[in-house]
Amino acid sequence: MRDENCIFCKIANGEIPSSTVYEDDDFRVILDLGPASKGHSLILPKNHYRDICESDKAVSEKLFPLAARIGKAMKAGLGANGFNVVQNNGTCAGQTVFHLHVHVIPRYEGGPAMVAWEPGKTDPEELSQTAKKLKGAME
Ligand code: 5GP
Ligand code: ZN
């Protein structure tokens, strides 16, 4: 399952060189070329999926445990104090490369704020309506 026009397919399968942190049969983990912080890594499945909705369940199930391993290595090997796990789906969510990938971003004490948002406002009625809509749309 490859897309010949996809740069992450080429990187994940070793056709284009990358700074590889980890590799197994299903994934390659590389350093991001435009890092948000030192060690910013991308988990790339070797198969092509546009986003998490298209992904195989077996692949998706492995993503979080692998992100945890990478995050632990960031703490042990780079002195990170924490890390963010970020995964963008769709242009409006900030996705720019349409091959499923998970960002693991090390965070250092005193480093810049990122992956943050201003808390909005809501009320119990709106929460109830929204929960109802979501519940009804779940597959
Ligand atoms: P997205 O915005 O789609 O969630 O994230 C795409 C990420 O891929 C960005 O952080 C960007 O810096 C990174 N990126 C794009 N092209 C390349 C590349 O050719 N090599 C590497 N290592 N990272 C890339
Ligand atoms: Zn791809």
Side-chain angles (χ1 to χ4, degrees):
M1 288 193 8
R2 297 270 298 276
D3 178 335
E4 291 309 317
N5 299 313
C6 172
I7 186 159
F8 278 8
C9 278
K10 294 190 171 86
I11 293 173
N13 291 282
E15 286 167 35
I16 293 178
S18 61
S19 297
T20 294
V21 172
Y22 173 83
E23 184 181 5
D24 63 22
D25 288 346
D26 299 315
F27 301 101
R28 183 186 295 269
V29 181
I30 63 168
L31 294 181
D32 195 299
L33 276 186
S37 64
K38 189 182 176 69
H40 181 165
S41 299
L42 300 172
I43 303 175
L44 311 181
K46 289 188 173 177
N47 283 338
H48 182 87
Y49 311 101
R50 183 179 169 83
D51 59 25
I52 195 77
C53 298
E54 281 196 357
S55 177
D56 271 0
K57 191 164 175 274
V59 168
S60 298
E61 281 173 351
K62 292 176 183 167
L63 282 171
F64 248 55
L66 183 53
R69 285 180 68 194
I70 302 296
K72 281 183 194 169
M74 287 167 171
K75 289 171 136 185
L78 298 178
N81 305 102
F83 59 95
N84 295 107
V85 178
V86 178
Q87 199 273 312
N88 299 326
N89 298 280
T91 305
C92 72
Q95 186 176 9
T96 58
V97 180
F98 292 87
H99 174 121
L100 171 64
H101 54 280
V102 174
H103 298 256
V104 186
I105 306 173
R107 300 294 298 273
Y108 302 92
E109 291 297 349
M114 54 182 90
V115 199
W117 56 87
E118 286 290 322
K121 287 196 181 344
T122 187
D123 56 60
E125 178 57 26
E126 188 190 19
L127 289 174
S128 165
Q129 295 282 338
T130 307
K132 205 168 155 187
K133 281 186 193 168
L134 276 175
K135 204 171 163 183
M138 293 279 286
E139 287 177 4

